[in-house]
């Protein structure tokens, strides 16, 4: 199976996904596409021997259809079976998402359905949550709303800040996303929960 990965930044989740698709894994990364030519993940993908491409949304000011059309054309050059959004920070419209219905995943740094959108760590702290986490979900037309296929949970401790939460969560994201992807490309939608032993509140 061929997996395309879309990124906007450093690409640590992209690296975790790419490094997991080895050996008897049924899938391989076919391309990494960024919407920013300065995305640090492009060099990491090239170093892993993965083809890369850039479709810069700034080349399509106020023209989402133009941007999504170009992104789709770039993706289709690589004929992906699946698409993974990994720190991809552009909101994709229903038309684009519909072309990858049932075969596109996203990772979001909250315990969905809580805190869709941005600033999830700060919002969890503001709410006084004792647990926080990340989720991998199938992408649908509504932002951060599709079926949840995996979640990882951490405890919030007294002196946590958005930065310390993000730091403690990222290694779990790098475990969760590959675990979900491996099942997903085999048609297994059984959710993955990390840690397998529940975190007591
Ligand atoms: N969407 C969020 O953006 C961050 C990006 O990390 P990276 O994969 O670019 O390192 C991750 O926390 C991810 O959940």
């Amino acid at each position: 199976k061929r997996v395309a990965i879309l990124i906007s930044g450093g690409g640590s989740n992209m690296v975790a996904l790419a490094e997991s698709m080895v050996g008897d894994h049924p899938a391989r990364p076919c391309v990494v596409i960024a919407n920013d030519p300065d995305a640090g993940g492009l060099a990491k993908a090239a170093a892993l021997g993965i083809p890369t491409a850039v479709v810069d949304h700034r080349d399509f000011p106020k023209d989402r259809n133009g941007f999504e059309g170009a992104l789709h054309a770039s993706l289709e050059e690589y004929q992906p079976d699946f698409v993974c959004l990994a720190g991809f920070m552009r909101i994709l419209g229903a038309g684009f998402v519909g072309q990858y219905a049932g075969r596109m995943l996203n990772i979001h740094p909250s315990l969905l359905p809580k805190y869709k959108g941005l600033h999830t760590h700060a919002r969890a702290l503001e709410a006084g949550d004792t647990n926080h986490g990340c989720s991998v979900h199938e992408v649908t037309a509504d932002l951060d709303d599709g079926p949840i296929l995996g979640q990882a949970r951490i405890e919030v401790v007294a002196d946590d800040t958005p930065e310390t939460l993000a730091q403690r969560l990222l290694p779990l994201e790098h475990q969760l996303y590959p675990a979900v992807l491996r099942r997903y490309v085999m048609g297994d939608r059984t959710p993955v929960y990390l840690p397998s032993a529940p975190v007591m509140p």
Side-chain angles (χ1 to χ4, degrees), residues 5 7 11-19 32 41-42 44-45 48 50 86:
I5 307 172
I7 66 170
S12 70
N13 277 290
M14 175 275 296
V15 171
L17 290 169
E19 291 182 340
V32 169
L42 289 167
K44 295 174 189 166
L48 290 167
I50 306 168

Side-chain angles (χ1 to χ4, degrees), residues 21-94:
M21 289 186 261
V22 293
D24 68 351
H25 194 295
R28 292 290 183 271
C30 62
V31 66
V32 169
I33 302 180
N35 64 293
D36 181 346
D38 300 326
L42 289 167
K44 295 174 189 166
L48 290 167
I50 306 168
T52 63
V54 172
V55 180
D56 191 335
H57 63 281
R58 288 164 294 197
D59 295 340
F60 303 88
K62 296 194 176 57
D63 179 12
R64 180 196 280 198
N65 290 341
F67 169 64
E68 291 180 1
L71 185 59
H72 182 246
S74 180
L75 267 169
E76 289 312 307
E77 281 176 39
Y78 299 89
Q79 294 291 299
D81 300 295
F82 297 93
V83 178
C84 287
L85 308 182
F88 185 70
M89 304 308 280
R90 305 305 299 175
I91 297 175
L92 297 166

Side-chain angles (χ1 to χ4, degrees), residues 109 120-121 132 154 160-173:
T120 59
H121 308 311
H132 185 46
I154 56 172
D160 258 325
T161 65
E163 292 70 33
T164 59
L165 280 179
Q167 244 161 33
R168 271 211 324 284
L169 201 50
L170 209 51
L172 275 177
E173 293 185 33

Side-chain angles (χ1 to χ4, degrees), residues 101-102 104-106 112-113 116 135-151 180 184 189 191 193:
M104 185 153 60
L105 295 175
N106 180 43
L112 291 170
K116 297 174 181 179
S135 309
V136 174
H137 64 96
E138 194 169 66
V139 177
T140 57
D142 299 318
L143 183 67
D144 301 330
D145 188 62
I148 296 169
L149 298 171
Q151 287 192 318
V180 171
Y184 193 65
R189 301 167 66 87
Y193 293 105

Side-chain angles (χ1 to χ4, degrees), residues 1 3 17 20-28 178-179 181-183 185-186:
K1 298 287 181 187
V3 175
L17 290 169
S20 76
M21 289 186 261
V22 293
D24 68 351
H25 194 295
R28 292 290 183 271
L181 177 66
R182 190 178 185 114
R183 290 185 182 183
V185 298
M186 295 195 280

Side-chain angles (χ1 to χ4, degrees), residues 108-116 119-135 151-162 164-165 168-169 199-201:
H108 182 74
S110 82
L111 292 173
L112 291 170
K114 294 178 92 170
Y115 313 126
K116 297 174 181 179
H119 314 305
T120 59
H121 308 311
R123 292 156 68 192
L125 286 172
E126 269 152 37
D129 291 356
T130 55
N131 279 332
H132 185 46
C134 60
S135 309
Q151 287 192 318
R153 196 175 281 266
I154 56 172
E155 274 178 39
V156 177
V157 297
D159 55 359
D160 258 325
T161 65
T164 59
L165 280 179
R168 271 211 324 284
L169 201 50
V199 172
M200 305 319 290

